[in-house]
Amino acid sequence: MSGVGAQAVTGALLGALAGDCLGAPWEGRHAVTRKRARARVRRALERPVLAYTDDTQLTLALIDHLVGDTDRVEPAQLARRMLARYDDRRGYGAGMRRLVALWRDGWDVDDAATAVFPDGSFGNGAAMRVAPVGLRWAGDHDVITHVAERSARPTHVHPVGIDGAVVQAHAVAVAASTGAFGRDELAALPAATDELRAGLQAAASLPSTVTAAEAARALGTAPIAHRSVPAALWCAATCEDLEHAIVTAVALGGDTDTIAAMAGAVRGAADGPASLPPGWSHVLEGHDDVVEAARRLAGSLDDGTGDRT
Ligand code: R7I
Ligand code: MG
Ligand code: MG
């Protein structure tokens, strides 16, 4: 059972939400300087509301499942929770959209997982939603690995897609339980595939002084697990706070909402909800829903049995 407190849970989920909302307007752009990225973030915050995307929607669906169904993850039940929240306008990946169509046609979840990509997807969708698993089982290494893997299965059965989720879950867990996430923590993360191992090694040794364009080239910014999780963890490990981590993720370009969301989950887990800069909360769509989901997840940690109300 996790020893993580409500502050770390709320911090991680709000950090992820902030990264998703602030990264989404710039998804698919080229790398820019950090100065320009800071101006982009400032500009985005002038909008009345910043919409969240699939990253947040699926994180909420995973919490629905962990708290409302079973805490050890049943892939078919998790798929139903994803379908219940699914909204086509939230910027889902192309493979994911086709998968949802198959689920709606009544396909078996295991069969559908290899129908779109024959070896399963190695997209970063399983990694971007996995923070609740790291929070729930922080300190329980083997359970995190096992449950993160199961949480990937409805949508990502490719070993690299799964590994991205396992690595990200461990990163959130270590940040939440120690209050720290730097290069040492990054370098110690367990990766099972050559792709993630190489990515983590590159991230652990990449200086914080490189330009965003250099970092993007070295680590990747694509919506696939091994070319986004390392970049997100580099942002989290080398930036002093949540705001800088998100600004740096925006500067990298590419899959900005997801890289910023994963970086935000880790920094927010380490630093708590107070790390959300003043003035952000009222702009983030879904802020109150995420706080409520954090309360439910943290509540189910407290009683040790899962809150199935
Ligand atoms: O992983 P997934 O849910 O995508 C998440 C991304 C995030 O950036 C979100 O913000 C959203 O924008 O999408 O969805 P998938 O469609 O399973 O994977 C994402 C992409 O990875 C796919 O659309 C493919 O381009 C690529 N991809 C693959 N390409 C070839 N072969 C994933 N698996 C494969 C593969 O096996
Ligand atoms: Mg998205
Ligand atoms: Mg994305």
Side-chain angles (χ1 to χ4, degrees):
M1 185 44 55
S2 170
V4 164
Q7 295 290 304
V9 175
T10 308
L13 297 179
L14 284 180
L17 174 71
D20 184 15
C21 292
L22 286 163
W26 320 107
E27 199 175 7
R29 303 289 185 92
H30 292 300
V32 295
T33 62
R34 289 174 179 78
K35 189 172 167 206
R36 216 159 141 207
R38 192 163 292 113
R40 281 184 172 177
V41 166
R42 247 199 323 268
R43 231 173 27 254
L45 287 163
E46 286 166 7
R47 299 182 188 190
V49 62
L50 278 168
Y52 66 73
T53 76
D54 55 334
D55 304 50
T56 297
Q57 199 156 65
L58 292 176
T59 303
L60 291 171
L62 180 53
I63 294 172
D64 291 343
H65 177 61
L66 293 175
V67 173
D69 297 330
T70 168
D71 62 1
R72 292 296 162 116
V73 178
E74 286 304 327
Q77 281 183 336
L78 175 56
R80 274 197 289 281
R81 292 287 188 174
M82 291 178 179
L83 210 44
R85 286 209 181 244
Y86 183 77
D87 173 355
D88 204 35
R89 295 162 301 181
R90 296 284 179 182
Y92 281 81
M96 184 64 194
R97 290 205 305 277
R98 288 164 63 194
L99 193 58
V100 164
L102 298 178
W103 290 346
R104 284 184 167 154
D105 282 348
W107 277 54
D108 176 81
V109 167
D110 285 341
D111 294 342
T114 50
V116 179
F117 299 111
D119 299 322
S121 171
F122 49 74
N124 54 15
M128 75 192 182
R129 66 175 183 246
V130 80
V133 172
L135 297 167
R136 184 163 191 137
W137 285 283
D140 210 336
H141 187 277
D142 293 349
V143 177
I144 290 177
T145 302
H146 176 71
V147 180
E149 188 176 324
R150 286 177 69 78
S151 78
R153 272 187 33 203
T155 53
H156 294 74
V157 293
H158 191 290
V160 170
I162 291 173
D163 205 21
V166 172
V167 165
Q168 172 68 6
H170 280 291
V172 170
V174 74
S177 55
T178 65
F181 190 83
R183 281 183 196 281
D184 291 347
E185 287 77 15
L186 196 169
L189 291 171
T193 61
D194 290 345
E195 289 86 345
L196 261 297
R197 212 171 291 126
L200 292 183
Q201 257 166 30
S205 58
L206 189 72
S208 55
T209 48
V210 296
T211 66
E214 285 164 346
R217 253 195 315 280
L219 304 177
T221 60
I224 53 179
H226 53 303
R227 299 296 281 170
S228 58
V229 172
L233 297 178
W234 179 77
C235 292
T238 60
C239 295
E240 67 266 33
D241 59 28
L242 176 69
E243 181 171 5
H244 286 94
I246 289 175
V247 164
T248 302
V250 168
L252 295 182
D255 193 3
T256 43
D257 64 333
T258 303
I259 294 172
M262 294 191 293
V266 174
R267 258 310 10 122
D271 303 338
S275 63
L276 206 72
W280 282 25
S281 59
H282 69 278
V283 189
L284 306 177
E285 185 200 11
H287 174 274
D288 294 354
D289 293 342
V290 166
V291 170
E292 169 61 16
R295 195 196 57 73
R296 283 191 290 139
L297 185 64
S300 72
L301 296 178
D302 286 345
D303 68 23
T305 59
D307 172 3
R308 291 183 174 71
T309 53

